[in-house]
Amino acid sequence: MLTLTGWDWGLGNMTYGPLWRRHRRLFHQYFNQHAVTAYKQDLEEASHKLLQRLLLQPEKFVYHLRYMLGAEFLSAVYGIHDAEEIDQYLAIAEKAIQGAEEALIPGSFLVDFLPTLKYVPAWMPGALFKRKAAEWKRNAMAMRNVPWQNVSAALDSHKPCIGASMLERISHLIGSEHAGEEEVAKNVAGTTYAAGSDTTYATLHIFFLAMVLYPDVQKRAQDEIAAVVGDDRLPNFSDYDKLMYLKAIWMECIRWQPAVPLGLAHKTLADDEYNGFRIPGRAIVMHNTWAILQDPKVYSEPKTFNPERFLRDGAWNLEVMDPAVIAFGAGRRICPGRYFAELSVFINAARILHTFDIMPALDAEGKQIKVEPDMTSGFVIHPKPFQCSIKPRSKAAESLIRGGNSDN
Ligand code: HEM
């Protein structure tokens, strides 16, 4: 695939060298299991805004999910809060992510198999991949560079964000040393945003699909949340440990329809053998996340959305594999954003279920419009468009949504 044949198209062409380790250290520093607790308040605020948007325009729920998830990242990474700026940056990011998703499907281009093709000039017939790659590179660079312009201002005005914190860390450096480290910081910010917002949005979208298709699951989660939280406030992160069924819903979302079903391509560093198969060094290896998470020997009736599979007698059923073992990739490049993703989906799902009923939409004759669990294909998958009805569960729920400070 383009990124692995050494194609210089942007953020993704790093292998396991010292440069990659510098990036990886920063990902870990800002997104490890403890560090992510710093983002909880922002995530609660963003989820409240999502509820308000869903209340006003429920039919545009997909747009709101994409917008709010993008806005969540723009605020956490670049300190961008202004609605107009958010719109502008989301448009830039959308273009870049589209290109990345096309390029990241291994085998989409002949150059994946014949790396020497990268030397043919872009004007030659058949070199469409080169022209596409040039455009994708421009878009990826815009996504990396344009929002970064906000970071110095965020640092000056003491608005906390990951970009400002990274700039502060290198403020003692000068000249080329500073420039080099700033490049790394920009890459980390850009990759975080690109890798995190679409995947998390896809998972929340999958959550909506599951709730429409499995009303019993929805009802059970709503009952659990009501018992823990009561009627007079929104769920927050202090409820996390008590909402086991909701946590099981998160696990089932990443198992039932893993947002990145084929993972990211990896490359073997040396000859290897697996179950009698010889794998040559430098071979591209894909792990089939989807097949692992749909294996009926591990997950009975794998096509059914059933969070209960992870629970037994009110405790975790440790005999059933946690899908996070593979849904976020594997090895040294395992997704560093997995803890952040879980927090984001958890708080949004908890608050949505506490305040809204998600049901099939009705047609003109009042009959339920059938929803199928169909997904798009690609590097990151999404549910195919479907309609649903999203209504506040009660007057009390509506006033929680409208309330200014309902987190306490
Ligand atoms: C449900 C949401 C998410 C899913 C399903 C997901 C999945 C993945 C997968 C499969 C990989 C490839 C790992 C490998 O090479 O084996 C990956 C990489 C990555 N993810 Fe995530 N991710 C999610 C959310 C996030 C979030 C929220 C962030 C940032 C806060 C993030 C940042 C990254 C980065 C930076 C990489 C590249 C790591 C590297 O190459 O060293 N992801 N993710």
Side-chain angles (χ1 to χ4, degrees), residues 98-396:
Q98 267 168 15
E101 290 190 354
E102 204 175 330
L104 284 167
I105 300 172
S108 307
F109 298 91
L110 200 55
V111 67
D112 294 345
F113 305 105
L114 291 173
T116 45
L117 280 179
K118 71 183 172 187
Y119 299 112
V120 303
W123 50 263
M124 263 186 55
L128 175 67
F129 73 92
K130 274 207 139 175
R131 296 190 290 278
K132 279 193 167 196
E135 189 193 334
W136 293 336
K137 179 173 180 175
R138 263 195 311 280
N139 293 341
M141 286 300 149
M143 183 183 75
R144 187 188 80 137
N145 296 334
V146 177
W148 186 257
Q149 290 161 7
N150 198 70
V151 169
S152 306
L155 182 61
D156 292 343
S157 60
H158 304 289
K159 275 192 216 155
C161 66
I162 294 169
S165 156
M166 289 194 288
L167 263 192
E168 204 164 20
R169 273 183 69 248
I170 57 169
S171 57
H172 62 289
L173 302 175
I174 49 169
S176 60
E177 223 183 333
H178 186 275
E181 287 303 320
E182 188 172 354
E183 282 299 292
V184 172
K186 266 191 210 178
N187 286 343
V188 166
T191 318
T192 299
Y193 175 54
S197 66
D198 196 34
T199 44
T200 314
Y201 148 61
T203 306
L204 208 51
H205 197 179
I206 289 163
F207 159 80
F208 268 80
L209 178 65
M211 292 305 103
V212 182
L213 290 171
Y214 295 87
D216 295 348
V217 171
Q218 179 175 176
K219 176 78 176 63
R220 183 164 165 195
Q222 287 170 327
D223 289 348
E224 178 189 64
I225 299 168
V228 170
V229 175
D231 292 336
D232 54 359
R233 68 172 176 91
L234 290 173
N236 54 43
F237 283 110
S238 66
D239 304 311
Y240 180 86
D241 289 335
K242 292 174 226 135
L243 296 174
M244 283 179 82
Y245 190 70
L246 189 63
K247 166 110 200 266
I249 288 185
W250 149 256
M251 290 161 82
E252 188 65 342
C253 283
I254 60 172
R255 184 206 67 80
W256 183 58
Q257 300 290 357
V260 188
L262 288 180
L264 207 60
H266 286 224
K267 188 172 69 176
T268 51
L269 296 176
D271 289 357
D272 206 346
E273 195 186 298
Y274 180 73
N275 275 354
F277 288 99
R278 191 182 79 81
I279 305 172
R282 300 180 60 79
I284 294 174
V285 179
M286 304 297 301
H287 46 82
N288 190 341
T289 305
W290 189 88
I292 295 169
L293 295 175
Q294 293 284 323
D295 182 351
K297 291 198 284 301
V298 184
Y299 302 106
S300 62
E301 296 183 42
K303 288 197 169 18
T304 306
F305 186 90
N306 175 20
E308 272 177 69
R309 67 175 82 246
F310 299 110
L311 300 166
R312 192 164 57 191
D313 304 329
W316 294 110
N317 183 355
L318 299 178
E319 279 168 24
V320 178
M321 184 176 86
D322 181 347
V325 167
I326 191 66
F328 294 101
R332 284 184 284 193
R333 292 192 84 155
I334 189 171
C335 173
R338 58 201 186 281
Y339 305 113
F340 185 94
E342 181 179 345
L343 291 185
S344 172
V345 173
F346 167 83
I347 197 67
N348 283 306
R351 291 180 163 200
I352 288 165
L353 288 177
H354 194 47
T355 50
F356 290 104
D357 283 320
I358 306 170
M359 291 168 298
L362 302 180
D363 66 14
E365 289 159 19
K367 286 200 204 114
Q368 288 191 352
I369 300 173
K370 197 163 165 34
V371 174
E372 299 289 350
D374 291 340
M375 306 296 292
T376 59
S377 56
F379 172 65
V380 177
I381 57 167
H382 291 263
K384 287 194 178 159
F386 66 93
Q387 292 178 33
C388 63
S389 141
I390 302 168
K391 290 199 175 135
R393 302 187 65 207
S394 62
K395 283 276 162 220

